[in-house]
């Protein structure tokens, strides 16, 4: 039996149908855009990767730049300082005192800020997309990095960058002198607030094989009573500057602390302490600063 050849119009129609289907998928994907979950429990939809970004948090500014999108920043908060190129960008206040009109004038398609920022709702009422992100732990930093990567159209870049940081933290831990491993430490943040075990700083200290005297049960950055530290009598204290450490000695009972009495303290200049306080792409630098101090101190006194 012979089969008649299929008419050419059938092949032509099939080709056109396939083309139309692929076109439909492309249009649907374009309209689907990018869906992001932020730390307010909201889902933000972007039609395309963000091209004009205002960042109101230094750690988020640094994350954008670390992921290779520094050229998309059109405005930053007044505390942004890294990389140096951000210093030339318009400064639009701070997270708690953002300059709404200045931000709107920059015509951003995305504003990055923390979840508790008061300006978030005002911006959204004006039709500006807002992505609120907080990082308190290492897991948070990894998640925030990947969320920013998705926002700029580079999925996977955030997780890849975190793997680099993670490897460098492990390497820093291996450089901690054996005599300091397992030693107890008190890390003061501002005034009498401290970094606990559950904070990103506390987790870094654990990676460096140090034992934090402030337990996770007290919260991430709790305010401490001077008596708590006196009772714990940590062999090592870390704080921002030497002048602050000098002020510590005037607190009731603190002059008798072994760390202060024997000079087992790590003080960091303002610009280096700034690195430690930012949960972002320079966390490995913060770890290196701590290790360098331990090396300088030599073996802890018995």
């Amino acid at each position: 039996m012979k089969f008649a050849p299929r008419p050419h119009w059938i092949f032509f129609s099939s080709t056109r149908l396939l083309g139309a289907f692929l076109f439909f998928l492309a249009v649907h994907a374009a309209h689907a855009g990018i869906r992001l979950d932020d730390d307010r429990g909201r889902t933000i939809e972007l039609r395309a990767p963000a091209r004009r970004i205002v960042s109101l948090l230094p750690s988020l500014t640094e994350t954008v730049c670390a992921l290779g999108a520094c050229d998309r920043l059109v405005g930053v908060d007044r505390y942004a300082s890294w990389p140096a190129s951000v210093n030339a960008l318009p400064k639009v206040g701070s997270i708690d005192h953002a300059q709404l009109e200045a931000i709107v004038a920059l015509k951003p398609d995305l504003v990055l800020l923390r979840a508790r920022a008061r300006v978030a709702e005002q911006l959204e009422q004006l039709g500006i997309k807002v992505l609120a992100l907080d990082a308190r732990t290492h897991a948070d930093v990894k998640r925030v990095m990947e969320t920013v990567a998705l926002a700029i159209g580079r999925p996977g870049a955030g997780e890849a960058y975190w793997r680099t940081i993670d490897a460098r933290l492990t390497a820093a831990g291996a450089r901690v002198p054996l005599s300091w491993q397992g030693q107890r430490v008190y890390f003061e943040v501002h005034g009498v607030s401290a970094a606990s075990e559950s904070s990103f700083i506390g987790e870094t200290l654990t990676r460096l094989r140090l034992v934090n005297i402030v337990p996770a049960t007290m919260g991430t950055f709790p305010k401490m009573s001077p008596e708590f530290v006196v009772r714990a009598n940590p062999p090592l204290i870390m704080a921002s500057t030497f002048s602050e450490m000098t002020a510590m000695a005037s607190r009731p009972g603190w002059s008798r602390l072994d760390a202060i009495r024997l000079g087992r303290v790590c003080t960091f200049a303002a610009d280096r302490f700034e690195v430690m306080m930012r949960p972002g792409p320079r966390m490995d630098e913060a770890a290196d600063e701590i290790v360098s101090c331990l090396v300088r101190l030599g073996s802890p006194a018995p």
Side-chain angles (χ1 to χ4, degrees):
M1 177 181 290
K2 293 183 178 181
F3 293 93
R6 297 177 66 186
H8 291 294
W9 66 268
I10 295 179
F11 290 102
F12 180 70
S13 297
S14 299
T15 302
R16 290 189 65 180
L17 285 172
L18 178 60
F21 178 68
L22 293 175
F23 177 76
F24 169 78
L25 290 179
V27 170
H28 179 72
H31 283 288
I34 301 170
R35 292 172 61 88
L36 305 166
D37 295 323
D38 78 358
D39 289 340
R40 298 172 299 169
R42 300 185 185 182
T43 298
I44 292 84
E45 294 188 4
L46 303 177
R47 292 184 178 180
R51 295 289 176 183
R52 295 182 62 81
I53 302 171
V54 168
S55 173
L56 294 177
L57 199 61
S59 59
L60 294 175
T61 298
E62 295 185 8
T63 297
V64 171
C65 290
L67 296 177
C70 219
D71 59 330
R72 303 192 199 184
L73 290 168
V74 294
V76 294
D77 77 292
R78 67 190 183 95
Y79 297 110
S81 57
W82 185 93
S85 61
V86 304
N87 292 316
L89 292 171
K91 299 297 176 74
V92 291
S94 63
I95 194 69
D96 294 318
H97 299 92
Q99 299 169 4
L100 183 62
E101 292 183 2
I103 295 172
V104 174
L106 294 172
K107 299 180 179 179
D109 50 26
L110 184 65
V111 176
L112 301 174
L113 38 66
R114 70 183 183 191
R116 300 183 304 279
R118 291 175 294 183
V119 75
E121 289 189 8
Q122 294 173 293
L123 289 168
E124 288 179 323
Q125 289 171 0
L126 294 171
I128 296 174
K129 299 289 186 179
V130 169
L131 183 61
L133 299 168
D134 283 328
R136 292 177 174 270
T137 66
H138 284 195
D140 286 340
V141 174
K142 177 183 177 181
R143 174 181 53 78
V144 166
M145 284 187 165
E146 183 56 21
T147 302
V148 172
L150 291 171
I152 62 175
R154 297 177 181 173
E159 293 184 355
Y161 203 99
W162 172 257
R163 287 194 293 271
T164 299
I165 294 175
D166 189 58
R168 289 174 178 170
L169 289 173
T170 298
R175 294 195 301 273
V176 174
L178 184 62
S179 58
W180 280 107
Q181 293 179 24
Q183 294 287 344
R184 293 177 302 117
V185 59
Y186 171 71
F187 193 108
E188 186 158 292
V189 179
H190 292 301
V192 292
S193 294
S196 80
E197 290 176 316
S198 63
S199 68
F200 67 91
I201 296 173
E203 288 186 293
T204 296
L205 295 174
T206 299
R207 294 287 295 272
L208 298 180
R209 309 181 189 191
L210 297 170
V211 178
N212 197 329
I213 68 166
V214 183
T217 54
M218 298 184 73
T220 49
F221 295 100
K223 290 186 177 181
M224 308 299 299
S225 68
E227 294 78 12
F228 176 92
V229 182
V230 171
R231 289 195 301 270
N233 193 18
L236 177 65
I237 292 178
M238 297 182 179
S240 60
T241 62
F242 184 76
S243 60
E244 188 169 322
M245 192 65 70
T246 302
M248 286 183 182
S250 65
R251 296 173 187 170
W254 279 47
S255 62
R256 299 192 302 274
L257 289 175
D258 289 343
I260 292 178
R261 185 171 55 84
L262 299 173
R264 296 197 299 252
V265 297
C266 287
T267 56
F268 307 98
D271 61 326
R272 304 319 297 164
F273 195 72
E274 187 177 81
V275 175
M276 296 181 179
M277 293 303 300
R278 295 180 178 178
R282 294 195 289 166
M283 289 175 58
D284 56 315
E285 289 185 32
D288 287 337
E289 289 286 338
I290 293 172
V291 175
S292 295
C293 178
L294 297 177
V295 171
R296 288 195 303 271
L297 289 177
S299 297

